[in-house]
Amino acid sequence: MIDNLKGRRVILREMEEKDWIDVHTYASQPIVCQYQPWGPNSEKESQDFVKQVILDTTKNPRSRFVFAIIEKKMLIGAGEINIRDFTNREGEIGYIVNPEYWGMGYATEVSKLLIEFGFETLNLHRIFATCDPRNVGSSKVLEKIGMTKEGRIREDLLLKDGWRDSLLYSILEQEWISTN
């Protein structure tokens, strides 16, 4: 069990089985998953997601860390960090926020907490993130937290409406240390 990650306004805690209800509140909305290969979720898909996240906590070595974003005792989204390469100490972050909380800086705060956890607790060297080029809000978050835009990965993700490009961002351990 990972200790809660505490930010200025949010707490990131490990998912609990009952969280599927709040996850479903946002994951069932078409606007939330418009740039994703999943969704909108059925209730069963939201339940299965949370069950899988909880199951992943038991894996050894553990490579997936999914946190509920808690703001004023409400679950408003999820933040995730995955170890993609243990040898080269590389991880990937992702986040999803209920649209009622978009544009309020929550994704930025969550991303910073995930990166801090990745470098300080997981001992990663490089952390990256990808986003759909049409997702301007997410691009702004990744730039705001100090990630460098490395480029565009062409047609790397199949969505319902066809292939999607991804923008690739990253930050290195020494870059994070020098800015914090």
Side-chain angles (χ1 to χ4, degrees):
M1 189 69 147
I2 303 293
D3 289 336
N4 291 345
L5 310 180
K6 294 178 174 74
R8 204 177 91 252
R9 298 177 299 163
V10 299
I11 293 172
L12 302 185
R13 67 154 170 77
E14 297 227 57
M15 287 267 181
E16 300 168 359
E17 202 166 324
K18 67 178 171 50
D19 289 337
W20 80 266
I21 297 165
D22 292 326
V23 166
H24 188 66
T25 300
Y26 62 80
S28 61
Q29 297 182 46
I31 193 167
V32 172
C33 49
Q34 66 183 325
Y35 304 124
Q36 302 300 328
W38 56 268
N41 279 8
S42 65
E43 285 188 359
K44 183 178 182 330
E45 288 168 327
S46 294
Q47 289 170 347
D48 289 348
F49 166 76
V50 172
K51 284 178 185 170
Q52 184 61 55
V53 163
I54 292 168
L55 182 64
D56 288 343
T57 67
T58 65
K59 300 225 167 108
N60 189 12
R62 184 173 176 187
S63 63
R64 185 181 191 201
F65 302 82
V66 180
F67 298 96
I69 303 169
I70 307 297
E71 192 263 354
K72 295 180 183 165
K73 299 186 181 182
M74 289 276 306
L75 188 152
I76 65 165
E80 181 168 352
I81 185 164
N82 290 281
I83 300 171
R84 296 295 186 204
D85 185 330
F86 284 96
T87 302
N88 293 305
R89 298 174 28 221
E90 181 177 61
E92 177 181 15
I93 64 164
Y95 45 84
I96 194 134
V97 177
N98 186 317
E100 290 180 32
Y101 298 88
W102 285 1
M104 299 179 190
Y106 289 108
T108 301
E109 185 173 346
V110 168
S111 297
K112 286 180 180 178
L113 288 170
L114 292 171
I115 289 173
E116 181 179 342
F117 176 73
F119 288 135
E120 294 182 7
T121 304
L122 301 178
N123 192 34
L124 297 176
H125 171 71
R126 178 179 185 271
I127 297 173
F128 72 92
T130 61
C131 72
D132 189 303
R134 299 169 292 181
N135 192 343
V136 176
S138 197
S139 290
K140 286 181 180 177
V141 166
L142 299 173
E143 290 168 6
K144 193 183 298 183
I145 62 172
M147 289 188 135
T148 299
K149 183 178 175 184
E150 292 187 358
R152 185 181 199 109
I153 306 166
R154 298 181 320 142
E155 295 188 1
D156 69 318
L157 197 57
L158 183 59
L159 303 183
K160 292 164 213 65
D161 62 348
W163 288 100
R164 174 197 113 171
D165 289 0
S166 294
L167 298 179
L168 176 63
Y169 290 84
S170 72
I171 188 166
L172 303 176
E173 183 179 22
Q174 64 266 24
E175 294 168 337
W176 177 256
I177 289 168
S178 72
T179 60
N180 289 294

